[in-house]
Amino acid sequence: MANERVTVIDIAKAAGVSKSTVSLVLQGSPLVNEGTRTKVNAVMRDLGYVYNRGAANLRQSSAKSKIIGVVVNDLTNSFFAELAVGVDLVVQDAGFVQFLANTSESLDRQTEVIASMREHGISGLVVSPARGSRAIDFKALVSAGMPVVAVVRPVAGAKVSSLISDNHTGMFAAVEHLARLGHTRIAFFGGFEDTAIFQERLAGYRDGIAASGLVYDEGLVFACAPSRAEGAKAVVRAMAAVDQPTGGVCFNDAVAFGVYDGLRARRLEPGVDFAIVGFDDVIEAGTSVPALTTIAVDPQGMGRRAAQLLLKQINAGKAEAEAVVTPVRLVVRESCGVNKLKPGRRSA
Amino acid sequence: MANERVTVIDIAKAAGVSKSTVSLVLQGSPLVNEGTRTKVNAVMRDLGYVYNRGAANLRQSSAKSKIIGVVVNDLTNSFFAELAVGVDLVVQDAGFVQFLANTSESLDRQTEVIASMREHGISGLVVSPARGSRAIDFKALVSAGMPVVAVVRPVAGAKVSSLISDNHTGMFAAVEHLARLGHTRIAFFGGFEDTAIFQERLAGYRDGIAASGLVYDEGLVFACAPSRAEGAKAVVRAMAAVDQPTGGVCFNDAVAFGVYDGLRARRLEPGVDFAIVGFDDVIEAGTSVPALTTIAVDPQGMGRRAAQLLLKQINAGKAEAEAVVTPVRLVVRESCGVNKLKPGRRSA
DNA sequence: CTGTTAGCGCTTTCAA
DNA sequence: TTGAAAGCGCTAACAG
């Protein structure tokens, strides 16, 4: 029940040296001779001394708290749990400790926890923004010079670094995959045309079409709100056309699920009558659709990258916003849409 | 790019009051008149003031850091992710923020992160100990008067609170379940006889047997190391007996998986030829066996309970170790062992 | 190489 | 009700 806090001064007294010598030892300074160092260390062990980082931070520039904040929108979703593990991994190795908070998609919660973290003196923040986050939500942080990296969901207009999926490569690979299976009419579903992400993904689609020797047809691009409901409507529209597509790539997972729904409503079997590839933005939690190929990202790897990016900024001292892209891979399931393919071009 | 830290003194100056008045406002003290309060608050907003908890803690008893530590052995396992969410929920509501660290079952990592958390002044710790944790690993913490609650895995001999599954009730329910399905010879597999947990679970088994009107037969208790390999051997032993059991309850999930393996090796179909109920200790990560009924705990609920328990201790000011039990529920899958049941007593 | 002396930003007596 | 002063545990100049 040793309750009184033991401080540098206690151990200085016990070791017969001065406060600052102890401090030097604490910081592993080479200016203290070996004998003193060992003695001091021994005393620290004996008295059960624990370093008070709060006090140290107070005295120092206060910029080096060795705490980084991690806020995710849904820790229940294993994607984000893995992401947190990835962050933790590199952050621990760098001698930092991480605050982890879960917002459950609540903007208020997010504001609260970020404020709280600031009060505790975090030296950087990795955040997977709650839905509906705006640049203004991070305004205070960035103008205070806090390094911030947004993952998974970029925040339009915010001067923070962001780490998002490789939109172009992902879509390109998806289209190539479908083309290789024999599809010649591949649609693009969902997304708001005025967003940067949409443009990137669409470009990947176009380039994939071209690279596969197919012709780009604007009539196969069905832009719509990136929601499940709109996705369902989009595919219905697509299937009403004279020259129906036999498969499609979707702006994100929500749209992909919508396309799935829309096909079922038309009595078509998703993945058999029509191939679907969804871009995995992890927007829908806990939803799982079989027979759906996705463009996926490795969450833990993304976490590691995010942490590295953040540490780089922290060490650089300045918060230069930077947009980085995380690799994606195609996770192929049974969704090749064989029924609609011309005989002879079907895949095994 | 407003970089200079703004402090109480700045806002005092700007508001035309003194440092301590500002401090009073910060703490919501009723000793400051309304006009002053609003003015001060306005100035704080204008200057973008952020409260420095580190400094505050330093001055205060230092016991009220508003940080609690959470260390789990495997955040990749969704059980622990959910647990962390549960903790976060109540901890956030109480105005705390949580440090979250993942040890990946590494004792060294665990020691490191706990030390780090102490240095940062956590006021309590929720820990799911890494495998092989001993009382000594928490000695320093408890003797420093730090409230600690161990979850999922109790640490023998450590003077920390623990929150574990309801061993007796769980086993009782499992046995009752099997008996209701018509089983009359129900085995008990796995566990070291000299541990408290084993005794509790065995007692639940015995009482369940009695409550179901069956007779307890010592020959049906197959104690062994709680590992997958030993579980496999145990069931082989059991099936070699003249009067074979038709189902069994297992000490934990590892043993249950072992039993599964053992049955397969004997060309028996688990869940059809033999009913298995496993006690879900979440010892095996990422393993999933179908057709296996389990005694499960709600991870998020457990997290909430753990946090509440911890907060209670923090508020009480003393670290009185307390053992609490978390409810369990039976998650029934297809493991009824129909093939071996007498006709007429089979379940639907 | 070691000791002295100031503070970091805040809270907290104690007076005014 | 508000102000002045002291000090939490530590580090950062400077002297010795």
Side-chain angles (χ1 to χ4, degrees):
Chain A
M1 305 280 174
N3 251 328
E4 294 305 313
R5 230 187 188 313
V6 18
T7 80
V8 273
I9 201 158
D10 294 321
I11 90 108
K13 213 165 290 174
V17 297
S18 86
K19 260 177 26 152
S20 31
T21 306
V22 178
S23 183
L24 259 1
V25 172
L26 248 18
Q27 305 170 72
S29 163
L31 285 67
V32 54
N33 84 39
E34 209 40 56
T36 320
R37 179 196 302 304
T38 17
K39 167 143 209 180
V40 169
N41 278 322
V43 173
M44 295 203 292
R45 213 125 40 206
D46 292 350
L47 300 188
Y49 170 73
V50 358
Y51 183 63
N52 184 335
R53 258 168 216 282
N57 285 348
L58 192 53
R59 189 59 181 86
Q60 284 167 156
S61 30
S62 160
K64 39 168 65 170
S65 69
K66 291 297 194 175
I67 304 178
I68 76 109
V70 180
V71 359
V72 298
N73 54 292
D74 183 10
L75 193 58
T76 275
N77 184 326
S78 68
F79 180 92
F80 295 105
E82 293 273 358
L83 186 94
V85 170
V87 173
D88 193 50
L89 225 53
V90 352
V91 139
Q92 272 188 39
D93 279 338
F96 282 67
V97 13
Q98 79 174 343
F99 273 135
L100 191 269
N102 181 225
T103 60
S104 309
E105 298 289 11
S106 156
L107 274 172
D108 289 344
R109 212 39 152 183
Q110 179 171 283
T111 305
E112 279 174 27
V113 299
I114 290 179
S116 171
M117 285 175 172
R118 283 195 75 189
E119 294 185 355
H120 282 287
I122 55 171
S123 41
L125 179 71
V126 172
V127 53
S128 163
R131 210 168 333 216
S133 295
R134 305 298 300 146
I136 189 137
D137 296 315
F138 300 97
K139 194 74 193 312
L141 275 187
V142 316
S143 64
M146 171 84 67
V148 177
V149 3
V151 293
V152 180
R153 300 173 180 166
V155 181
K159 284 274 183 292
V160 303
S161 293
S162 56
L163 181 62
I164 54 171
S165 309
D166 189 340
N167 294 313
H168 188 281
T169 305
M171 273 303 174
F172 188 95
V175 171
E176 228 180 7
H177 170 70
L178 293 181
R180 211 162 24 227
L181 290 175
H183 292 273
T184 54
R185 290 189 60 74
I186 302 167
F188 182 103
F189 294 111
F192 289 126
E193 299 183 74
D194 58 353
T195 66
I197 308 185
F198 178 89
Q199 292 304 333
E200 287 173 20
R201 294 189 181 175
L202 184 62
Y205 164 80
R206 288 189 68 150
D207 294 349
I209 291 286
S212 305
L214 303 176
V215 296
Y216 174 70
D217 177 355
E218 211 170 38
L220 286 175
V221 177
F222 299 88
C224 69
S227 69
R228 187 161 185 160
E230 291 305 309
K233 290 183 198 160
V235 73
V236 169
R237 255 184 290 141
M239 299 312 274
V242 199
D243 201 1
Q244 300 178 346
T246 59
V249 293
C250 303
F251 177 75
N252 66 10
D253 42 7
V255 170
F257 296 152
V259 167
Y260 187 95
D261 296 341
L263 291 170
R264 300 300 292 241
R266 300 269 297 193
R267 308 252 178 248
L268 291 171
E269 184 156 357
V272 175
D273 296 321
F274 192 91
I276 310 173
V277 180
F279 206 114
D280 191 6
D281 273 348
V282 202
I283 284 184
E284 296 288 325
T287 334
S288 171
V289 174
L292 187 71
T293 288
T294 53
I295 300 160
V297 354
D298 164 39
Q300 202 167 314
M302 195 168 188
R304 285 196 305 267
R305 275 158 197 278
Q308 283 154 358
L309 188 53
L310 186 67
L311 289 177
K312 202 179 81 182
Q313 278 185 35
I314 291 174
N315 294 330
K318 59 186 166 86
E320 197 74 48
E322 187 178 354
V324 175
V325 129
T326 202
V328 296
R329 67 184 197 288
L330 209 59
V331 177
V332 179
R333 309 215 185 91
E334 272 74 315
S335 67
C336 53
V338 285
N339 284 353
K340 296 290 181 177
L341 293 181
K342 294 183 290 285
R345 295 209 58 182
R346 290 191 183 176
S347 81
Chain B
M1 307 284 173
N3 251 329
E4 294 304 313
R5 234 191 185 309
V6 20
T7 80
V8 273
I9 202 158
D10 295 322
I11 91 108
K13 213 165 289 176
V17 297
S18 85
K19 258 174 34 149
S20 31
T21 306
V22 177
S23 182
L24 258 6
V25 172
L26 248 19
Q27 305 171 74
S29 161
L31 284 68
V32 53
N33 84 37
E34 208 41 55
T36 320
R37 177 194 304 302
T38 19
K39 166 141 209 184
V40 169
N41 278 322
V43 173
M44 295 204 292
R45 213 123 40 206
D46 292 350
L47 300 189
Y49 171 73
V50 359
Y51 184 62
N52 184 335
R53 260 170 216 280
N57 286 349
L58 192 53
R59 189 58 178 83
Q60 285 169 153
S61 30
S62 158
K64 40 171 63 170
S65 68
K66 291 296 195 175
I67 303 178
I68 77 107
V70 180
V71 359
V72 299
N73 53 295
D74 183 11
L75 192 59
T76 275
N77 184 325
S78 69
F79 181 93
F80 295 105
E82 292 272 359
L83 187 92
V85 170
V87 173
D88 193 49
L89 225 53
V90 352
V91 140
Q92 272 188 39
D93 279 339
F96 283 67
V97 15
Q98 78 174 344
F99 272 135
L100 191 270
N102 182 224
T103 59
S104 309
E105 298 290 10
S106 155
L107 274 173
D108 289 343
R109 212 41 152 179
Q110 179 171 283
T111 306
E112 279 174 29
V113 300
I114 291 179
S116 172
M117 285 175 172
R118 283 194 75 188
E119 294 185 355
H120 281 288
I122 55 171
S123 39
L125 179 71
V126 172
V127 54
S128 162
R131 210 166 336 211
S133 294
R134 307 298 302 146
I136 190 135
D137 295 315
F138 300 97
K139 195 75 192 311
L141 275 187
V142 317
S143 65
M146 172 85 66
V148 176
V149 3
V151 293
V152 181
R153 301 173 179 166
V155 181
K159 285 273 185 294
V160 302
S161 292
S162 56
L163 181 62
I164 53 171
S165 308
D166 189 340
N167 294 313
H168 187 281
T169 305
M171 274 301 173
F172 188 96
V175 171
E176 226 180 7
H177 170 68
L178 293 181
R180 210 158 30 222
L181 291 174
H183 292 272
T184 55
R185 291 190 56 76
I186 302 166
F188 182 103
F189 294 110
F192 289 126
E193 298 183 75
D194 58 353
T195 66
I197 307 183
F198 178 89
Q199 292 304 332
E200 286 173 18
R201 293 188 182 175
L202 184 62
Y205 165 80
R206 289 189 69 149
D207 294 350
I209 291 286
S212 303
L214 303 177
V215 295
Y216 173 70
D217 176 356
E218 211 170 38
L220 285 175
V221 177
F222 299 88
C224 68
S227 70
R228 189 160 184 162
E230 291 304 310
K233 291 183 198 158
V235 73
V236 168
R237 256 184 289 142
M239 300 312 273
V242 199
D243 201 1
Q244 301 177 347
T246 59
V249 293
C250 304
F251 176 75
N252 66 10
D253 43 7
V255 170
F257 296 151
V259 167
Y260 187 93
D261 295 341
L263 291 170
R264 300 299 290 242
R266 300 269 297 192
R267 308 251 178 249
L268 292 171
E269 183 156 357
V272 175
D273 296 321
F274 191 92
I276 310 174
V277 180
F279 206 115
D280 192 4
D281 273 348
V282 202
I283 284 185
E284 296 288 325
T287 336
S288 172
V289 175
L292 186 71
T293 288
T294 54
I295 301 161
V297 354
D298 164 37
Q300 202 167 315
M302 195 167 188
R304 284 197 304 268
R305 275 159 199 277
Q308 283 155 356
L309 187 54
L310 187 67
L311 289 177
K312 201 179 83 183
Q313 279 184 34
I314 290 173
N315 294 330
K318 59 184 167 79
E320 196 73 50
E322 186 178 355
V324 175
V325 128
T326 202
V328 295
R329 68 183 196 290
L330 208 59
V331 177
V332 179
R333 308 215 185 91
E334 273 73 312
S335 68
C336 53
V338 286
N339 283 352
K340 298 291 179 177
L341 293 181
K342 293 185 289 288
R345 294 208 60 183
R346 290 192 184 175
S347 83

